[in-house]
């Protein structure tokens, strides 16, 4: 899916291979003002929608771990409802904008292993579920990191595609990128499973040496299972071949995003454990799985920098939310608008779309949740 989801895969590949270097980022200032204003209004309305939906008593009581509170607990629960719903509505609004206007997964066909492209989100969800207190923060933290990962993939892929296009250089066979990305993601999935086993072993009273042994075995076993299941997918003949140069660019963008997401996840795991074995295995996994293409590697680090800034904005937004002042909570919707600008710039650099086109398409997708919810979900996650 790209910003203009109505385009066919062939049309998207054509835009990639015949990119217009003279395409204007802003075609009409008045239209940009109009589309930008419409995006701001639509984002505020979405924020109010998600907040209202969150105020459902059943949902909040379940997340609070309380049922039928009475007495003084009722007042406390009301305060909890407001603060939690402001937090959740804010992060879901940012997530929605990130998905609605992203440049991902390019025009490539989606395979069954696409969820592996978000290793950090899976790990954050696991960690918040096992350690987060109060529990209502679990969906907030997980959704915030997922948003960060979407932005990381968008920026990393955009940089890689733009750099490769400027170099006017070919790449190796298209399946090399696909195979490398799958190897990277399956290896990271193995590391994630190994970490879960490692933590469970330590919690069960086993020694560190025993836990490390279980970590190595479980991670390698998981990797081999994924590798075996990939044979039929990666070795199958592609009868619907598109122009090789454009497909190479798309696959380079995809693997740059996956590398950035894997690095971010690896940093989290290493920072928590400060163990040379973990750090060494993770480093070998990343280096051995990814082809040494400078544009892809630099793109991954650029994506990481952009994702760090977005996380910083979302944390600032989180600290400014106040359950007593509704208007004050609408003001810090900066992360969502910043993400929309990043998506707009990325769509321009990859496909030549103007900012106003990107903003208008994002708004169109935001409104889909009111009149075509199933199509809304399909366009966001397809």
């Amino acid at each position: 899916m790209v910003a203009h989801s109505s385009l066919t895969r062939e049309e998207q590949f054509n835009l990639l291979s015949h990119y217009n270097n003279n395409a204007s980022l802003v075609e009409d200032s008045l239209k940009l003002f109009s589309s930008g204003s419409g995006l701001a209004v639509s984002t505020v309305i979405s924020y109010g929608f998600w907040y209202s939906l969150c105020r459902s008593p059943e949902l909040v009581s379940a997340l609070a771990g309380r049922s039928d509170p009475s007495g003084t607990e009722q007042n406390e629960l009301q305060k909890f409802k407001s603060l939690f719903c402001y937090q959740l509505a804010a992060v879901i609004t940012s997530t929605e904008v990130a998905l609605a206007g992203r440049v991902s997964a390019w025009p490539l066909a989606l395979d069954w292993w696409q969820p592996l492209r978000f290793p950090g989100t899976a790990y954050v969800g696991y960690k918040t579920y096992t350690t987060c207190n109060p529990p209502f923060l679990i969906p907030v933290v997980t959704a915030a990191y997922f948003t960060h990962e979407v932005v990381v993939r968008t920026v990393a892929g955009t940089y890689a595609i733009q750099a490769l296009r400027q170099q006017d250089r070919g790449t190796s066979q298209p399946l090399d990128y696909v195979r490398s990305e799958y190897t990277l993601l399956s290896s990271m999935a193995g590391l994630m499973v190994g970490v879960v086993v490692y933590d469970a072993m330590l919690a069960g009273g086993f020694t560190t040496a025993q836990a490390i042994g279980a970590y190595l075995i479980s991670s390698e076993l998981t990797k081999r299972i994924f590798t075996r299941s990939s044979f039929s997918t990666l070795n199958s003949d592609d009868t619907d071949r598109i122009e090789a140069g454009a497909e190479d660019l798309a696959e380079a963008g995809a693997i740059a995003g996956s590398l950035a997401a894997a690095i971010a996840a690896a940093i989290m795991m290493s920072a928590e454990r400060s163990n040379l074995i973990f750090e060494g295995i993770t480093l070998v996994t990343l280096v051995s799985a990814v082809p040494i293409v400078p544009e892809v590697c630099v793109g991954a680090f650029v994506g990481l920098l952009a994702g760090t800034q977005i996380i910083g904005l979302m944390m600032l937004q989180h600290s400014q939310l106040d359950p007593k002042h509704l208007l004050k909570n609408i003001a810090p919707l900066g992360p969502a608008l910043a993400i929309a600008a990043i998506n707009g710039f990325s769509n321009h650099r990859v496909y030549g779309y103007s900012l106003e086109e990107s903003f208008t398409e994002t708004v169109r997708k935001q409104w889909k949740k009111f009149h075509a919810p199933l199509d809304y979900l399909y366009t966001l996650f397809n």
Side-chain angles (χ1 to χ4, degrees):
M1 182 187 75
V2 294
H4 289 236
S5 57
S6 59
L7 296 178
T8 64
R9 288 182 62 212
E10 289 75 10
E11 290 171 327
Q12 293 166 19
F13 275 116
N14 184 64
L15 286 173
L16 270 176
S17 58
H18 300 92
Y19 174 76
N20 181 10
N21 290 319
N22 297 319
S24 298
L25 179 63
V26 178
E27 293 181 347
D28 188 309
S29 299
L30 184 59
K31 286 184 179 180
L32 177 62
F33 176 78
S34 175
S35 60
S37 300
L39 174 65
V41 171
S42 177
T43 301
V44 170
I45 291 175
S46 291
Y47 176 76
F49 170 77
W50 295 120
Y51 176 78
S52 301
L53 191 64
C54 174
R55 293 283 294 183
S56 166
E58 295 80 7
L59 173 64
V60 178
S61 296
L63 290 170
R66 302 175 181 178
S67 58
D68 300 326
S70 58
T72 56
E73 283 192 345
Q74 185 65 38
N75 292 331
E76 292 297 323
L77 184 57
Q78 289 301 322
K79 294 179 182 178
F80 161 80
K81 280 183 181 181
S82 296
L83 181 58
F84 165 72
C85 288
Y86 283 134
Q87 293 173 344
L88 187 62
V91 72
I92 289 181
T93 301
S94 295
T95 305
E96 179 185 49
V97 171
L99 290 171
R102 64 186 175 142
V103 185
S104 176
W106 320 105
L108 301 173
L110 298 181
D111 296 307
W112 64 268
W113 47 269
Q114 298 308 306
L116 294 178
R117 284 180 165 170
F118 297 92
T121 299
Y123 181 72
V124 168
Y126 158 72
K127 289 300 293 184
T128 53
Y129 178 77
T130 55
T131 63
C132 192
N133 190 24
F136 74 84
L137 286 176
I138 295 174
V140 175
V141 174
T142 305
Y145 192 88
F146 174 71
T147 305
H148 152 270
E149 236 173 354
V150 172
V151 173
V152 163
R153 291 189 59 84
T154 293
V155 175
T158 298
Y159 182 93
I161 285 180
Q162 182 182 4
L164 286 170
R165 184 185 280 143
Q166 288 176 345
Q167 291 293 328
D168 192 25
R169 54 176 286 185
T171 60
S172 56
Q173 293 297 320
L175 284 183
D176 288 348
Y177 273 135
V178 175
R179 187 181 300 276
S180 296
E181 183 184 13
Y182 183 85
T183 300
L184 171 66
L185 295 178
S186 60
S187 298
M188 288 304 300
L191 294 181
M192 295 289 179
V193 171
V195 166
V196 172
V197 172
Y198 175 85
D199 290 342
M201 293 283 287
L202 289 182
F206 291 90
T207 66
T208 301
Q210 290 172 324
I212 290 177
Y215 161 80
L216 295 173
I217 294 173
S218 58
S219 60
E220 183 62 25
L221 181 61
T222 303
K223 178 182 176 180
R224 288 183 178 276
I225 291 174
F226 276 113
T227 301
R228 180 173 295 276
S229 64
S230 72
F231 286 160
S232 59
T233 301
L234 298 181
N235 290 331
S236 60
D237 293 330
D238 188 354
T239 58
D240 185 25
R241 298 295 297 164
I242 315 294
E243 185 175 342
E247 189 160 8
D248 287 349
L249 286 176
E251 289 170 356
I255 195 173
S258 292
L259 177 60
I263 292 174
I267 290 173
M268 281 193 301
M269 288 191 298
S270 298
E272 284 188 349
R273 288 165 180 81
S274 299
N275 189 305
L276 291 177
I277 294 180
F278 285 106
E279 294 172 0
I281 293 175
T282 303
L283 180 61
V284 170
T285 297
L286 295 176
V287 171
S288 61
V290 180
I292 306 302
V293 178
E295 292 83 359
V296 169
C297 297
V298 175
F301 282 102
V302 172
L304 284 173
L305 291 177
T308 300
Q309 296 301 314
I310 290 299
I311 279 289
L313 282 175
M314 296 181 78
M315 291 179 64
L316 179 63
Q317 176 192 51
H318 179 85
S319 66
Q320 292 177 344
L321 294 175
D322 185 347
K324 297 180 181 178
H325 300 91
L326 176 61
L327 293 179
K328 188 177 179 181
N329 290 334
I330 293 177
L333 285 177
L337 300 181
I339 291 170
I342 291 173
N343 286 339
F345 182 78
S346 299
N347 274 293
H348 172 71
R349 298 313 302 165
V350 174
Y351 293 105
Y353 299 143
S354 65
L355 276 180
E356 48 266 42
E357 285 182 285
S358 182
F359 289 169
T360 300
E361 185 69 9
T362 299
V363 171
R364 187 184 70 83
K365 290 177 181 175
Q366 285 179 315
W367 283 98
K368 272 189 175 183
K369 63 178 171 286
F370 299 111
H371 62 84
L374 292 180
D375 189 40
Y376 164 78
L377 292 175
Y378 176 80
T379 54
L380 288 190
F381 295 101
N382 180 33

